[in-house]
Amino acid sequence: MKLVVIGMGLMGGSAALAMRRSGAVTSVYACDVSPQSVQKAVAMGVAEKGGCDPCEAARGADVVMVATPVLSMESIFRKIRPVLSPGAVVTDLGSVRVTVQLAARRSLGEKIARYAPCHPIAGGEQTGVEHSNPDMFIGKRVISTAEPDSDPDAVRIMEALWKGCGAEILRMSPERHDRIFGLMSHLPHVLAYAMVAMIAESREPELLLSMGGSGFLDFSRIAASSPVMWRDICLANRRAISDGLRRYRKELEIFQKALDEGNADTLVAEFALAARARRRLSSPAPKTKEKGQ
Amino acid sequence: MKLVVIGMGLMGGSAALAMRRSGAVTSVYACDVSPQSVQKAVAMGVAEKGGCDPCEAARGADVVMVATPVLSMESIFRKIRPVLSPGAVVTDLGSVRVTVQLAARRSLGEKIARYAPCHPIAGGEQTGVEHSNPDMFIGKRVISTAEPDSDPDAVRIMEALWKGCGAEILRMSPERHDRIFGLMSHLPHVLAYAMVAMIAESREPELLLSMGGSGFLDFSRIAASSPVMWRDICLANRRAISDGLRRYRKELEIFQKALDEGNADTLVAEFALAARARRRLSSPAPKTKEKGQ
């Protein structure tokens, strides 16, 4: 199976490595607007060949995986549509589903039937193909958000590819996906960015940042994520994120009031509620290895 | 040197193990309101002996380390004062300095000269002596917040003990400590608790929590921390935390507006500012190993 990855960054590179290792993919073509990223992918053995032109890339592909920031996807779908083989499967790794799937419907034309979107709940704050990791998807979830008119064969192909990477498949509507991940992934990114931006805008950012312990480092790790990728996610899923942020700000009002009034009971009740919920998810703490720590 | 730890949890247990391993401490007495914690400490070899009465514990100690939630410290200082040997050093591990040091001044009487407070910037969201780890302080900072009338000999003893645990000592006024850690440690805990509390109060908490990826797990890890410990920290440093929270809420207003207006430029500028600052701190991401991931 020939895989073409358009957008050769951390996610595209990791998916290519993992799918090749599983044996399902036998050749990979790396496409990126940056010739450097293509060169790195080839030098690292992520891909055999590569180039900057999506049309050239997509020709003859069995699977075309679009792994760019979500708002770039529509123009890529539009460009590749005329050159797709009849049986080619098109997929993308976008963290936002409704907007991207509407874009796919607008731009892929009759090829929409062979569009099988899957969002892997995996990643990292590091950017660039040089950080690619074929283990990234082991034990992780991949959310398959196919629509009623998706070709079951295309969906099966994509789901099998992801299972081969060690992931577990979960099917969900695009709408439900966006509500859940707007709250559980997109909103925390906004909150972490806001915290670090506030420190960066303070009078002594360097000193403050140097004082962050492992708690701060964990909390703020996602604030190192790609700004362009997250700008696109925020715009593409802004209704859900905006609603979540509004609810969170109401929650913070409760905490502000409790702090200002020295209301020990409210504080301990909210903390205990959160700690009980969070502890159900956690096993021993990871070792945090970072500079200055 | 005989060390007495009053409050035998994660921090007290880890400090006892680390100070014993360094060779500076030759015997440890574990004191806790919970007989189970004392038993565990003795069974694990954290301490040779132990008991529930602080007065009995402190008698004959070279160093008394109070490692309870911060608002319990004053009554402990008051209880142990009459039994302290003339040369005994008193210290505590409190994450808030001004309130605790005022309490020490009120309650330790003439023994205040031998009070040498040091706050290790280390820890974890796990609670209980059973998670004690003698490596916890290696490469970490310990903030020494001695006051002008502190006995330099007592300060030297405590700082040497912490250096022996692998920590780096940084001296700072209690006021400056509380402003910095109010922002860099206490506020992020409040924000993480608020996020998880909001999810826990939603209509489908279990489903949502099960969908958290590694980003959410990192961001929310500190929300599993001890509710009583953090209630006390919030009350004891509430001015600084409250001010920080007010600033953060203003920051979120900017993000809310940008989201609602679809303002791509503001979003990417804020994200890029934060990412640049955060990336200066980070090296390769830790491996996150948690249930459901």
Side-chain angles (χ1 to χ4, degrees), chain B residues 16-43:
Chain B
L17 285 174
M19 288 178 181
R20 184 201 292 277
R21 188 172 62 181
S22 77
V25 161
T26 48
S27 93
V28 176
Y29 186 100
C31 178
D32 200 283
V33 286
S34 149
Q36 287 75 25
S37 296
V38 172
Q39 278 165 18
K40 275 188 222 163
V42 173

Side-chain angles (χ1 to χ4, degrees), chain B residues 54-55 68 70-81 103 107:
Chain B
C55 283
T68 62
V70 290
L71 295 186
S72 316
M73 290 178 178
E74 180 161 7
S75 82
I76 292 168
F77 292 146
R78 204 174 296 281
K79 278 181 196 152
I80 64 173
R81 171 185 172 186
S107 52

